[in-house]
Amino acid sequence: MPETSLIELKKVSKTFTLDSGNQIRVLDNIDLNLYPGEIVALLGPSGSGKSTCLRIMAGLMEKTNGEVFVNGKPSRGANQNVALVFQSFALFPWETVFENIALALEPLNLHSEEVKKRVKKVIDMVGLEGFEEAYPRELSGGMKQRVGIARALVMERSVLLLDEPFSALDILTADSLRNEIVEIFQSQQTATRGVLVVTHHIHEAVNMAHRILVMGVNPGHIRGQVINDLPYPRNDSSPAFSQMVDRVHSLVTETLMPDVPKVEAGLGNTETATREATLRVLPNVSVSEVIGLLETIHANGGTADIFKLGHQIEKDFGYTLFLVKAAEILELVDTPKQKVILTDLGRHLVEGDINVQKRMLHELYGELSLVNEVAQLLRQSPTLRLPVDLVIEKLTEWLPNENPNDLLSSLITWGRFAEYFGYNDDTKELYLDVGQETT
């Protein structure tokens, strides 16, 4: 008989309703289990709904559809079996380290001696000895996060949920804390029986997790799972570790840049699904970063390994994929398997000056169907301009599974560079750029 999950999400979906009344689905049909004795990593790019999953598991956010089970029983409201650590330290500046940790125990109405005993135990466990009377202003980022971890452990909950807890730390400090959390969990000195960590760093997931769940986007869904049976402590310089990283890399790459465009089934509206596949959307990345990516590939002789590109341009792998995806949509690169190859258009753009780049992007950007839809909308106005609220409403109608604010931001950023759209922040209007004055 299979072991009972500490937490289970079954067919969970989440939809947000905008002020306009339109809805955005951010999670779709999520099946997720956390079993005793394991660390699970929820890996995916920004906007894939990782943190939304975590908040639903914690009972901090209500699901729209599906079921949440805790220890095999349906759960409603706040989950009393979980403790959370967020990327922001959220410490009270007027309280000492000891007091910040002890605050987590106030709702339990414990005797003062029990509070002291618990706090002292976790302070020793996470290496905060000697800092009991220090205030947050006296601590480094790593020490502040140790306080956050201690505050979660002192609650003695069976599940520890980590929401990108190392993203604000330098690399060495993050590595150290990751290893310490794994060691503390394996030591079984705490009540923690399972850990779920939300991350967008592949190395972090491979370093910590027994299972890695890779999330796709638009809406967020679990694309696949990788079982990570590497022994602890894990050596990130070993061939086995590198092979596991490559395996996860491949799954993430397939998630963001599938070889064959896919129309999601089960949306309940075939026409909407087909339209979403047709209206190709540029990721919300900057033009200059995409041009920088192309220049890097050009300097490599026109071809680059997609796994190595992130290191070369000093971006994480997920964000690098978004840059590559934008370049691919504009037909500036091809992406066969794990290679990124500059097309003739891409080479011509890189070798041209700023005016050549603007002219080329004006033509390439103008060929995108979403850009044409927005341009047509603007042409229906006598002034060739419309309030952004109306544009957002239309974007939500056309692409209900995309974030309309991100879409608008991308339209403005790329539209300005390509001299296709303009934006007046004073009047909050988007307009068609035909050389008119902006006032």
Side-chain angles (χ1 to χ4, degrees), residues 169-189:
L169 306 176
D170 64 85
I171 294 175
L172 293 178
T173 302
D175 282 343
S176 176
L177 276 178
R178 272 193 290 268
N179 293 332
E180 288 179 34
I181 285 178
V182 172
E183 289 173 8
I184 289 171
F185 178 66
Q186 289 186 308
S187 73
Q188 300 184 348
Q189 296 178 47

Side-chain angles (χ1 to χ4, degrees), residues 366-377:
E367 291 174 0
L368 299 181
S369 52
L370 178 61
V371 173
N372 281 320
E373 291 275 357
V374 174
Q376 184 177 343
L377 186 68

Side-chain angles (χ1 to χ4, degrees), residues 65-359:
N65 299 108
E67 293 292 337
V68 180
F69 297 92
V70 175
N71 295 321
K73 298 178 181 179
S75 177
R76 298 288 184 274
N79 185 347
Q80 300 300 321
N81 294 313
V82 306
L84 296 98
V85 178
F86 298 105
Q87 56 183 296
S88 59
F89 310 126
L91 305 181
F92 292 106
W94 56 85
E95 304 282 8
T96 64
V97 165
F98 187 98
E99 292 164 343
N100 264 287
I101 298 170
L103 281 171
L105 298 174
E106 277 196 2
L108 304 182
N109 296 315
L110 299 175
H111 190 276
S112 60
E113 289 304 315
E114 176 66 15
V115 171
K116 289 180 182 178
K117 177 182 174 182
R118 286 201 191 187
V119 174
K120 185 179 185 306
K121 177 183 176 181
V122 296
I123 280 178
D124 292 343
M125 198 177 296
V126 302
L128 285 170
E129 306 96 323
F131 290 88
E132 292 89 344
E133 297 181 5
Y135 288 93
R137 65 177 180 273
E138 303 175 74
L139 304 177
S140 65
M143 295 303 281
K144 288 177 184 176
Q145 194 58 294
R146 287 177 191 272
V147 178
I149 294 167
R151 187 172 51 194
L153 294 176
V154 79
M155 299 170 72
E156 298 188 355
R157 302 286 173 83
S158 60
V159 174
L160 181 62
L161 301 178
L162 307 172
D163 191 3
E164 302 199 36
F166 315 115
S167 59
L169 306 176
D170 64 85
I171 294 175
L172 293 178
T173 302
D175 282 343
S176 176
L177 276 178
R178 272 193 290 268
N179 293 332
E180 288 179 34
I181 285 178
V182 172
E183 289 173 8
I184 289 171
F185 178 66
Q186 289 186 308
S187 73
Q188 300 184 348
Q189 296 178 47
T190 72
T192 304
R193 298 173 62 208
V195 177
L196 183 133
V197 55
V198 164
T199 180
H200 60 271
H201 290 294
I202 294 175
H203 275 76
E204 183 168 283
V206 174
N207 182 275
M208 295 185 71
H210 298 91
R211 284 191 296 131
I212 301 167
L213 304 178
V214 176
M215 292 195 69
V217 297
N218 303 324
H221 61 282
I222 294 179
R223 172 76 183 227
Q225 171 180 275
V226 176
I227 303 298
N228 184 3
D229 56 3
L230 295 177
Y232 295 102
R234 289 172 175 164
N235 178 4
D236 60 7
S237 61
S238 70
F241 191 96
S242 297
Q243 289 169 10
M244 183 62 66
V245 168
D246 289 346
R247 184 179 169 191
V248 179
H249 265 147
S250 297
L251 183 55
V252 173
T253 303
E254 291 169 10
T255 298
L256 288 180
M257 296 192 300
D259 288 335
V260 179
K262 178 170 69 77
V263 177
E264 293 288 347
L267 291 177
N269 186 330
T270 305
E271 183 179 343
T272 299
T274 303
R275 181 165 196 164
E276 288 193 57
T278 303
L279 294 178
R280 304 194 74 187
V281 176
L282 282 181
N284 190 18
V285 295
S286 77
V287 185
S288 61
E289 287 177 320
V290 172
I291 293 175
L293 175 92
L294 299 175
E295 290 173 345
T296 300
I297 299 170
H298 188 265
N300 288 343
T303 303
D305 186 311
I306 198 165
F307 296 158
K308 297 177 181 177
L309 258 180
H311 293 292
Q312 290 181 277
I313 63 175
E314 298 182 349
K315 302 290 182 185
D316 70 63
F317 183 69
Y319 193 75
T320 301
L321 285 183
F322 280 131
L323 294 174
V324 173
K325 185 66 176 178
E328 183 185 43
I329 288 173
L330 293 168
E331 301 182 357
L332 300 171
V333 299
D334 287 328
T335 57
K337 302 300 179 183
Q338 299 174 7
K339 296 292 183 183
V340 185
I341 301 173
L342 213 58
T343 63
D344 289 340
L345 280 174
R347 185 174 292 103
H348 185 44
L349 186 139
V350 170
E351 293 173 352
D353 61 20
I354 185 67
N355 291 317
V356 169
Q357 292 174 350
K358 279 180 167 287
R359 284 196 301 272

